[in-house]
Amino acid sequence: MPVVTFDYNDFINLLGYKIPKDKLIERLPMIGADFDKVEGDEISIEFFPNRPDLASVEGIARASRAFFGFEKGLKKYPIEKSEVVLTVDTSVVKVRPFVTTALVKNVNMTDEMISSLMDLQEKLHLGLGRNRKKVAIGVHNFEPVKPPFVYKAVDPDSVEFVPLAKVESMTLREILKNHEKGVGYAHLLEGFDKYPLIVDSNNNVLSFPPIINGSLTEVTPFTKDLFIDVTGSDRKAINYALNIVVTALAERGGKIFSTTVKDGGKSYVSPDLNPVKRDLSVDYVNSILGTKFGEKDVIDCLGNMGYDTSKNEKGELNVFIPAWRTDILHDIDLVEDVAVGYGFDRFETDLPRAMTFGKVLSKQHLYDGLRSIMTGLGFNEVTTFTISNDNDEFARMGLEIGSRAQIENPIGEEYSNLRASLLTSLLKILSENRHHPLPQQIFELGIVVGEDFKNSHNLAALKIDAKANFTECKSLVETVMRDANVEYTIKDKVHHAFVRGRCASVVCKDVEIGFFGELHPRTITAFDLEHHVIAFEIKADNLVHR
């Protein structure tokens, strides 16, 4: 979980109110945090990763004003209009399609502010941004550049500029080979023949996202006006990141100015700090929390968490969610905040009314045994998300879209349905680790949702190596089935993700319970891999009593 370190006196200045240090240390964890350490006036606190808006001292101060009752309700930031325009060129759509921008003026670049901004930027890159793959943030000195700006993709050898932390001019290709940041994040641009770039009206380079900014716009202690760009693969995520950054700067006294992004035939004004409205039933809150709250009680609790609330014609509450709250996906998230705003320490405790004894689930011994078999074969266990998407589950595997459990209101396209197979999750792990030495062999025993829309456990494994082949994969499957004490037969199988003639099914009592083989080169390249991959997936629940 992200640890935020700040000075107590700086926090009090941002808060605008006085809180004794001992009271702060006692009460602040109730928001959803845990103190890492306190050394004099330096406080380190660890927040849950679902609250990136609390990844800076500015965000903590804003939340504390409401939580401690100083300024309850939704914090509002004035936004003035600027004439800054950024145009998205069609060339960048296939590389890194989304961008949003903002301008913040009259910033006082104190040491505390610079340190906090850099720390917030990196925490957002790591968490919300999935190590810059999903979101990358550029913060620039606005003074030396001249709008309008252009976001485009260019040939790696056609443009050169001086990147941050260097004095010599370098091409984009040279940056990926020789610059520390370029080497660290070069894998994000693998497979593309053009790289993204943001330039001003004089063709000066502001940013080479998601790698490095240009030294021309380097932020210094004398910088007063900041231009912020956020690029990525998910429009909602980049908007959240921008909102978090600009409001943190506004907490330091900066004035937010909107900018316009022209993308094709559409124009977007950013940042958009308008709250999102969601209905909430008081009865639902009480049914979950076991309370007898009235409307005023719920409104008061939500006010402590920074929400504005009103009553609607249906007799429910309209809850206005701040534009920087990325974690509110369902009514249950608001119920949780009602509980936090009320105070977990105020809930009455009660002893269990029935004494029961737990025991291991009937299939757990089987699962533990399968894990032991796989680790004995030299495979490393991984745990991946059960939420996936059609592109990964079907398109990249060369399959037609089949029956699957879809999420009604997904937060993004990347997480829009429940996985029906473990193989795509494992292939994504290999893709993320393709710059590490070979061989790599991983497995997962996890939950999938089949065509019957019921949860079941599958066992899947992958091995990537220049010499990996069908014979080795068949040997691995035979070992698993033998050690699991299951009788089976092997039959030829056609699976579009595998090489024809090098794929087989595992059959037990005339029922197919799994398949294995060599992945097709098309599948391998779809996940940005370059070496042979063997794979198998078995329905673990079907190994019982077979």
Side-chain angles (χ1 to χ4, degrees):
M1 296 191 295
V3 176
V4 182
T5 300
F6 58 88
D7 180 79
Y8 169 73
N9 295 310
D10 182 44
F11 171 81
I12 293 299
N13 288 334
L14 285 168
L15 186 69
Y17 302 91
K18 291 190 178 297
I19 298 180
K21 190 192 300 183
D22 56 349
K23 182 180 179 181
L24 178 69
I25 294 172
E26 177 188 354
R27 295 291 302 166
L28 193 56
M30 295 295 180
I31 297 180
D34 188 21
F35 276 99
D36 185 59
K37 61 182 178 180
V38 178
E39 297 179 347
D41 285 337
E42 186 177 278
I43 298 173
S44 296
I45 189 167
E46 189 175 23
F47 280 95
F48 297 149
N50 67 321
R51 292 290 304 271
D53 58 300
L54 299 181
S56 69
V57 64
E58 295 85 5
I60 298 171
R62 174 179 56 218
S64 297
R65 284 192 212 105
F67 187 71
F68 287 97
F70 298 123
E71 297 177 15
K72 301 177 68 167
L74 180 66
K75 172 70 175 181
K76 298 177 177 64
Y77 299 92
I79 300 178
E80 298 183 36
K81 184 180 179 180
S82 79
E83 301 301 320
V84 175
V85 175
L86 180 142
T87 301
V88 180
D89 189 84
T90 55
S91 61
V92 81
V93 173
K94 292 183 178 180
V95 185
R96 198 171 179 86
F98 302 119
V99 62
T100 187
T101 59
L103 182 63
V104 182
K105 294 185 176 182
N106 300 330
V107 178
N108 184 16
M109 300 296 288
T110 63
D111 291 342
E112 293 84 1
M113 187 269 185
I114 294 173
S115 175
S116 179
L117 178 60
M118 293 175 62
D119 195 40
L120 173 62
Q121 187 177 2
E122 287 310 307
K123 283 181 170 61
L124 292 176
H125 281 162
L126 187 62
L128 184 63
R130 297 293 186 266
N131 209 17
R132 301 196 188 188
K133 181 178 181 180
K134 193 174 179 179
V135 171
I137 304 163
V139 180
H140 310 273
N141 182 1
F142 182 66
E143 183 181 357
V145 292
K146 182 180 180 182
F149 304 113
V150 177
Y151 179 47
K152 60 183 179 179
V154 299
D155 183 277
D157 299 310
S158 65
V159 176
E160 62 178 51
F161 68 100
V162 180
L164 283 177
K166 297 294 179 182
V167 293
E168 70 275 12
S169 183
M170 305 168 72
T171 66
L172 308 188
R173 195 184 303 278
E174 289 172 341
I175 289 173
L176 296 189
K177 291 181 179 179
N178 302 321
H179 194 286
E180 296 81 1
K181 294 294 184 182
V183 173
Y185 295 101
H187 63 279
L188 297 177
L189 296 175
E190 282 184 9
F192 296 109
D193 56 359
K194 291 186 177 182
Y195 297 161
L197 207 65
I198 297 177
V199 299
D200 73 352
S201 59
N202 294 322
N203 225 28
N204 293 314
V205 174
L206 281 75
S207 177
F208 170 23
I211 310 299
I212 193 75
N213 289 346
S215 63
L216 176 67
T217 59
E218 182 177 4
V219 176
T220 72
F222 306 102
T223 299
K224 292 296 182 183
D225 300 337
L226 295 174
F227 177 72
I228 298 133
D229 73 78
V230 187
T231 63
S233 58
D234 186 294
R235 189 180 296 279
K236 284 187 177 179
I238 64 171
N239 287 331
Y240 278 132
L242 183 70
N243 293 344
I244 291 170
V245 172
V246 298
T247 53
L249 292 171
E251 289 288 336
R252 291 280 181 181
K255 294 184 178 180
I256 304 174
F257 286 77
S258 65
T259 60
T260 302
V261 175
K262 294 183 177 181
D263 189 352
K266 298 180 179 180
S267 293
Y268 304 93
V269 176
S270 60
D272 181 4
L273 298 183
N274 291 313
V276 176
K277 185 178 73 172
R278 192 179 191 96
D279 296 341
L280 182 65
S281 166
V282 175
D283 290 339
Y284 177 67
V285 172
N286 287 324
S287 69
I288 296 295
L289 299 181
T291 52
K292 296 180 180 180
F293 289 151
E295 290 177 356
K296 291 183 178 180
D297 298 320
V298 175
I299 291 173
D300 185 63
C301 293
L302 289 172
N304 290 337
M305 297 302 292
Y307 299 96
D308 275 352
T309 312
S310 64
K311 189 175 179 179
N312 62 30
E313 64 279 0
K314 295 186 296 183
E316 297 182 333
L317 298 179
N318 290 330
V319 182
F320 296 90
I321 303 167
W324 47 88
R325 287 294 298 270
T326 68
D327 57 314
I328 308 301
L329 310 178
H330 188 274
D331 290 354
I332 196 68
D333 299 310
L334 294 176
V335 175
E336 180 185 6
D337 270 4
V338 171
V340 175
Y342 178 71
F344 286 121
D345 56 329
R346 296 174 62 189
F347 282 92
E348 295 182 2
T349 59
D350 193 11
L351 292 173
R353 298 178 182 178
M355 188 65 70
T356 59
F357 297 92
K359 66 177 182 179
V360 176
L361 295 175
S362 58
K363 294 181 180 179
Q364 190 59 46
H365 294 299
L366 169 66
Y367 301 153
D368 291 342
L370 292 174
R371 288 188 173 96
S372 296
I373 293 170
M374 295 307 300
T375 54
L377 290 170
F379 282 72
N380 294 313
E381 184 175 10
V382 298
T383 302
T384 60
F385 291 120
T386 56
I387 305 177
S388 187
N389 58 76
D390 286 345
N391 184 52
D392 290 339
E393 289 286 305
F394 300 102
R396 296 173 81 179
M397 298 292 285
L399 305 174
E400 293 185 2
I401 296 178
S403 178
R404 75 278 192 211
Q406 294 179 278
I407 297 173
E408 187 173 4
N409 294 302
I411 192 170
E413 294 181 359
E414 189 176 358
Y415 303 110
S416 55
N417 58 39
L418 301 180
R419 66 184 179 188
S421 169
L422 298 177
L423 290 184
T424 53
S425 300
L426 297 183
L427 282 165
K428 290 170 72 175
I429 292 288
L430 291 185
S431 179
E432 292 292 337
N433 290 275
R434 60 187 179 273
H435 50 288
H436 291 302
L438 300 180
Q440 296 175 26
Q441 42 193 43
I442 57 176
F443 82 94
E444 180 173 10
L445 202 163
I447 294 175
V448 298
V449 179
E451 293 185 353
D452 58 355
F453 303 110
K454 293 182 179 179
N455 289 359
S456 60
H457 283 76
N458 280 12
L459 171 68
L462 296 180
K463 179 176 180 179
I464 181 169
D465 188 43
K467 297 181 180 180
N469 55 55
F470 177 83
T471 302
E472 182 182 6
C473 192
K474 179 173 179 286
S475 176
L476 291 170
V477 173
E478 289 174 337
T479 300
V480 172
M481 300 301 288
R482 182 196 66 218
D483 289 358
N485 195 27
V486 176
E487 294 183 2
Y488 66 97
T489 57
I490 293 175
K491 295 184 179 181
D492 184 51
K493 180 179 177 65
V494 175
H495 191 298
H496 292 296
F498 291 79
V499 177
R500 183 180 291 271
R502 297 184 186 179
C503 179
S505 60
V506 181
V507 179
C508 184
K509 293 185 178 181
D510 298 324
V511 176
E512 182 182 295
I513 63 170
F515 53 88
F516 65 92
E518 290 184 34
L519 290 183
H520 197 283
R522 178 186 59 248
T523 308
I524 294 171
T525 56
F527 287 87
D528 301 320
L529 300 172
E530 299 177 351
H531 299 279
H532 292 180
V533 180
I534 55 176
F536 73 80
E537 185 161 2
I538 297 171
K539 298 176 181 178
D541 291 337
N542 288 43
L543 299 181
V544 180
H545 305 308
R546 287 286 180 179

Short mmCIF file of all heavy atoms in Angstrom, two decimals, residues 357-390:
data_model
loop_
_atom_site.label_atom_id
_atom_site.label_comp_id
_atom_site.label_asym_id
_atom_site.label_seq_id
_atom_site.Cartn_x
_atom_site.Cartn_y
_atom_site.Cartn_z
N PHE A 357 -17.82 -24.39 14.55
CA PHE A 357 -16.44 -24.80 14.35
C PHE A 357 -16.18 -24.90 12.85
O PHE A 357 -16.96 -25.51 12.11
CB PHE A 357 -16.18 -26.15 15.03
CG PHE A 357 -16.34 -26.10 16.52
CD1 PHE A 357 -17.56 -26.40 17.10
CD2 PHE A 357 -15.28 -25.74 17.33
CE1 PHE A 357 -17.73 -26.34 18.48
CE2 PHE A 357 -15.44 -25.67 18.72
CZ PHE A 357 -16.67 -25.98 19.29
N GLY A 358 -15.10 -24.29 12.42
CA GLY A 358 -14.77 -24.32 11.01
C GLY A 358 -14.00 -25.57 10.63
O GLY A 358 -13.41 -26.25 11.47
N LYS A 359 -14.03 -25.89 9.34
CA LYS A 359 -13.25 -27.01 8.84
C LYS A 359 -12.88 -26.73 7.39
O LYS A 359 -13.46 -25.85 6.73
CB LYS A 359 -14.04 -28.31 8.93
CG LYS A 359 -15.27 -28.38 8.04
CD LYS A 359 -15.95 -29.75 8.15
CE LYS A 359 -17.16 -29.82 7.23
NZ LYS A 359 -17.81 -31.16 7.31
N VAL A 360 -11.92 -27.45 6.91
CA VAL A 360 -11.45 -27.26 5.54
C VAL A 360 -12.53 -27.69 4.56
O VAL A 360 -13.17 -28.73 4.76
CB VAL A 360 -10.16 -28.08 5.31
CG1 VAL A 360 -9.71 -27.97 3.85
CG2 VAL A 360 -9.05 -27.59 6.22
N LEU A 361 -12.75 -26.89 3.49
CA LEU A 361 -13.71 -27.27 2.47
C LEU A 361 -13.30 -28.58 1.80
O LEU A 361 -12.10 -28.90 1.71
CB LEU A 361 -13.83 -26.16 1.41
CG LEU A 361 -14.40 -24.83 1.91
CD1 LEU A 361 -14.34 -23.79 0.81
CD2 LEU A 361 -15.83 -25.00 2.40
N SER A 362 -14.28 -29.30 1.32
CA SER A 362 -14.02 -30.66 0.82
C SER A 362 -13.00 -30.69 -0.32
O SER A 362 -12.22 -31.64 -0.43
CB SER A 362 -15.34 -31.29 0.35
OG SER A 362 -15.94 -30.49 -0.67
N LYS A 363 -12.98 -29.66 -1.16
CA LYS A 363 -12.07 -29.67 -2.31
C LYS A 363 -10.73 -29.01 -2.02
O LYS A 363 -9.84 -29.03 -2.88
CB LYS A 363 -12.73 -28.96 -3.50
CG LYS A 363 -13.95 -29.70 -4.05
CD LYS A 363 -14.54 -28.96 -5.24
CE LYS A 363 -15.76 -29.70 -5.78
NZ LYS A 363 -16.36 -28.98 -6.94
N GLN A 364 -10.57 -28.44 -0.83
CA GLN A 364 -9.34 -27.70 -0.55
C GLN A 364 -8.12 -28.61 -0.55
O GLN A 364 -7.04 -28.21 -0.98
CB GLN A 364 -9.45 -26.98 0.79
CG GLN A 364 -8.33 -25.99 1.05
CD GLN A 364 -8.25 -24.90 0.00
OE1 GLN A 364 -9.26 -24.31 -0.37
NE2 GLN A 364 -7.05 -24.65 -0.51
N HIS A 365 -8.29 -29.85 -0.07
CA HIS A 365 -7.16 -30.79 -0.08
C HIS A 365 -6.71 -31.07 -1.52
O HIS A 365 -5.51 -31.20 -1.79
CB HIS A 365 -7.55 -32.09 0.62
CG HIS A 365 -7.79 -31.94 2.09
ND1 HIS A 365 -6.82 -31.50 2.97
CD2 HIS A 365 -8.92 -32.15 2.84
CE1 HIS A 365 -7.32 -31.44 4.20
NE2 HIS A 365 -8.59 -31.83 4.14
N LEU A 366 -7.70 -31.17 -2.43
CA LEU A 366 -7.35 -31.36 -3.84
C LEU A 366 -6.57 -30.17 -4.37
O LEU A 366 -5.53 -30.35 -5.03
CB LEU A 366 -8.63 -31.56 -4.66
CG LEU A 366 -8.47 -31.51 -6.18
CD1 LEU A 366 -7.64 -32.68 -6.67
CD2 LEU A 366 -9.83 -31.49 -6.87
N TYR A 367 -7.06 -28.95 -4.09
CA TYR A 367 -6.38 -27.75 -4.58
C TYR A 367 -4.95 -27.66 -4.02
O TYR A 367 -4.01 -27.33 -4.75
CB TYR A 367 -7.17 -26.50 -4.19
CG TYR A 367 -8.58 -26.45 -4.72
CD1 TYR A 367 -9.57 -25.73 -4.04
CD2 TYR A 367 -8.94 -27.10 -5.88
CE1 TYR A 367 -10.88 -25.67 -4.52
CE2 TYR A 367 -10.25 -27.05 -6.37
CZ TYR A 367 -11.21 -26.34 -5.68
OH TYR A 367 -12.49 -26.29 -6.16
N ASP A 368 -4.81 -27.93 -2.73
CA ASP A 368 -3.47 -27.88 -2.12
C ASP A 368 -2.54 -28.91 -2.76
O ASP A 368 -1.35 -28.65 -2.99
CB ASP A 368 -3.56 -28.13 -0.62
CG ASP A 368 -4.25 -26.98 0.12
OD1 ASP A 368 -4.34 -25.88 -0.47
OD2 ASP A 368 -4.69 -27.18 1.26
N GLY A 369 -3.11 -30.09 -3.06
CA GLY A 369 -2.31 -31.13 -3.70
C GLY A 369 -1.85 -30.72 -5.09
O GLY A 369 -0.70 -30.96 -5.47
N LEU A 370 -2.75 -30.09 -5.86
CA LEU A 370 -2.38 -29.65 -7.21
C LEU A 370 -1.31 -28.56 -7.15
O LEU A 370 -0.39 -28.53 -7.98
CB LEU A 370 -3.62 -29.12 -7.94
CG LEU A 370 -4.69 -30.17 -8.29
CD1 LEU A 370 -5.93 -29.50 -8.87
CD2 LEU A 370 -4.13 -31.19 -9.29
N ARG A 371 -1.42 -27.67 -6.18
CA ARG A 371 -0.39 -26.64 -6.03
C ARG A 371 0.96 -27.27 -5.70
O ARG A 371 2.01 -26.85 -6.21
CB ARG A 371 -0.80 -25.65 -4.93
CG ARG A 371 -1.94 -24.72 -5.31
CD ARG A 371 -2.15 -23.64 -4.25
NE ARG A 371 -3.13 -22.65 -4.68
CZ ARG A 371 -4.41 -22.68 -4.36
NH1 ARG A 371 -4.88 -23.65 -3.57
NH2 ARG A 371 -5.24 -21.75 -4.80
N SER A 372 0.96 -28.29 -4.85
CA SER A 372 2.21 -28.98 -4.50
C SER A 372 2.82 -29.65 -5.72
O SER A 372 4.05 -29.64 -5.92
CB SER A 372 1.95 -30.01 -3.40
OG SER A 372 1.54 -29.40 -2.21
N ILE A 373 1.97 -30.23 -6.56
CA ILE A 373 2.47 -30.89 -7.78
C ILE A 373 3.14 -29.86 -8.68
O ILE A 373 4.25 -30.09 -9.20
CB ILE A 373 1.30 -31.58 -8.52
CG1 ILE A 373 0.77 -32.75 -7.70
CG2 ILE A 373 1.77 -32.06 -9.90
CD1 ILE A 373 -0.52 -33.33 -8.24
N MET A 374 2.50 -28.73 -8.88
CA MET A 374 3.03 -27.72 -9.80
C MET A 374 4.32 -27.09 -9.27
O MET A 374 5.27 -26.87 -10.04
CB MET A 374 1.99 -26.63 -10.05
CG MET A 374 0.74 -27.10 -10.79
SD MET A 374 1.10 -27.96 -12.34
CE MET A 374 1.99 -26.70 -13.24
N THR A 375 4.37 -26.80 -7.99
CA THR A 375 5.61 -26.25 -7.44
C THR A 375 6.72 -27.28 -7.48
O THR A 375 7.89 -26.94 -7.68
CB THR A 375 5.40 -25.75 -5.99
OG1 THR A 375 4.84 -26.81 -5.21
CG2 THR A 375 4.46 -24.57 -5.95
N GLY A 376 6.36 -28.56 -7.34
CA GLY A 376 7.36 -29.62 -7.45
C GLY A 376 7.91 -29.74 -8.86
O GLY A 376 9.05 -30.19 -9.05
N LEU A 377 7.12 -29.33 -9.84
CA LEU A 377 7.58 -29.34 -11.24
C LEU A 377 8.37 -28.08 -11.59
O LEU A 377 8.79 -27.91 -12.74
CB LEU A 377 6.38 -29.45 -12.18
CG LEU A 377 5.66 -30.82 -12.18
CD1 LEU A 377 4.35 -30.73 -12.96
CD2 LEU A 377 6.56 -31.90 -12.76
N GLY A 378 8.56 -27.19 -10.61
CA GLY A 378 9.37 -26.00 -10.84
C GLY A 378 8.60 -24.79 -11.32
O GLY A 378 9.20 -23.81 -11.78
N PHE A 379 7.26 -24.81 -11.20
CA PHE A 379 6.45 -23.68 -11.63
C PHE A 379 6.21 -22.71 -10.47
O PHE A 379 6.10 -23.13 -9.32
CB PHE A 379 5.10 -24.16 -12.18
CG PHE A 379 5.17 -24.71 -13.58
CD1 PHE A 379 5.78 -25.93 -13.84
CD2 PHE A 379 4.65 -24.00 -14.65
CE1 PHE A 379 5.86 -26.44 -15.12
CE2 PHE A 379 4.73 -24.50 -15.95
CZ PHE A 379 5.34 -25.73 -16.18
N ASN A 380 6.13 -21.44 -10.79
CA ASN A 380 5.84 -20.40 -9.80
C ASN A 380 4.35 -20.05 -9.85
O ASN A 380 3.80 -19.82 -10.93
CB ASN A 380 6.66 -19.14 -10.08
CG ASN A 380 8.14 -19.37 -9.89
OD1 ASN A 380 8.56 -19.95 -8.89
ND2 ASN A 380 8.94 -18.92 -10.85
N GLU A 381 3.72 -20.00 -8.67
CA GLU A 381 2.29 -19.69 -8.63
C GLU A 381 2.06 -18.19 -8.70
O GLU A 381 2.78 -17.40 -8.08
CB GLU A 381 1.65 -20.24 -7.36
CG GLU A 381 0.13 -20.03 -7.32
CD GLU A 381 -0.54 -20.68 -6.12
OE1 GLU A 381 0.18 -21.13 -5.20
OE2 GLU A 381 -1.78 -20.72 -6.10
N VAL A 382 1.05 -17.80 -9.46
CA VAL A 382 0.64 -16.40 -9.55
C VAL A 382 -0.85 -16.31 -9.26
O VAL A 382 -1.58 -17.31 -9.36
CB VAL A 382 0.94 -15.79 -10.93
CG1 VAL A 382 2.42 -15.80 -11.23
CG2 VAL A 382 0.17 -16.52 -12.03
N THR A 383 -1.31 -15.13 -8.89
CA THR A 383 -2.73 -14.87 -8.68
C THR A 383 -3.10 -13.65 -9.50
O THR A 383 -2.48 -12.59 -9.35
CB THR A 383 -3.04 -14.62 -7.20
OG1 THR A 383 -2.64 -15.76 -6.43
CG2 THR A 383 -4.53 -14.38 -7.00
N THR A 384 -4.07 -13.79 -10.37
CA THR A 384 -4.43 -12.71 -11.29
C THR A 384 -5.89 -12.31 -11.09
O THR A 384 -6.65 -12.96 -10.38
CB THR A 384 -4.21 -13.13 -12.75
OG1 THR A 384 -5.01 -14.29 -13.03
CG2 THR A 384 -2.75 -13.48 -12.99
N PHE A 385 -6.29 -11.23 -11.77
CA PHE A 385 -7.66 -10.72 -11.66
C PHE A 385 -8.65 -11.69 -12.31
O PHE A 385 -8.38 -12.26 -13.36
CB PHE A 385 -7.80 -9.36 -12.35
CG PHE A 385 -7.07 -8.25 -11.65
CD1 PHE A 385 -6.08 -7.53 -12.30
CD2 PHE A 385 -7.38 -7.92 -10.34
CE1 PHE A 385 -5.41 -6.50 -11.67
CE2 PHE A 385 -6.72 -6.88 -9.70
CZ PHE A 385 -5.74 -6.18 -10.36
N THR A 386 -9.81 -11.84 -11.69
CA THR A 386 -10.88 -12.63 -12.30
C THR A 386 -11.67 -11.82 -13.32
O THR A 386 -12.46 -12.37 -14.07
CB THR A 386 -11.86 -13.16 -11.22
OG1 THR A 386 -12.37 -12.06 -10.49
CG2 THR A 386 -11.15 -14.11 -10.27
N ILE A 387 -11.45 -10.51 -13.34
CA ILE A 387 -12.14 -9.64 -14.30
C ILE A 387 -11.25 -9.46 -15.53
O ILE A 387 -10.05 -9.22 -15.42
CB ILE A 387 -12.46 -8.27 -13.68
CG1 ILE A 387 -13.26 -8.43 -12.39
CG2 ILE A 387 -13.24 -7.40 -14.66
CD1 ILE A 387 -13.56 -7.14 -11.68
N SER A 388 -11.84 -9.60 -16.70
CA SER A 388 -11.09 -9.52 -17.95
C SER A 388 -11.89 -8.70 -18.95
O SER A 388 -12.71 -7.86 -18.58
CB SER A 388 -10.80 -10.93 -18.47
OG SER A 388 -9.94 -10.89 -19.60
N ASN A 389 -11.65 -8.95 -20.25
CA ASN A 389 -12.37 -8.24 -21.30
C ASN A 389 -12.43 -9.08 -22.56
O ASN A 389 -11.69 -10.07 -22.70
CB ASN A 389 -11.71 -6.89 -21.59
CG ASN A 389 -10.25 -7.03 -21.99
OD1 ASN A 389 -9.94 -7.41 -23.11
ND2 ASN A 389 -9.34 -6.74 -21.06
N ASP A 390 -13.28 -8.72 -23.48
CA ASP A 390 -13.48 -9.50 -24.71
C ASP A 390 -12.22 -9.58 -25.55
O ASP A 390 -11.93 -10.60 -26.18
CB ASP A 390 -14.62 -8.91 -25.54
CG ASP A 390 -15.99 -9.20 -24.94
OD1 ASP A 390 -16.07 -10.08 -24.07
OD2 ASP A 390 -16.96 -8.54 -25.34
#
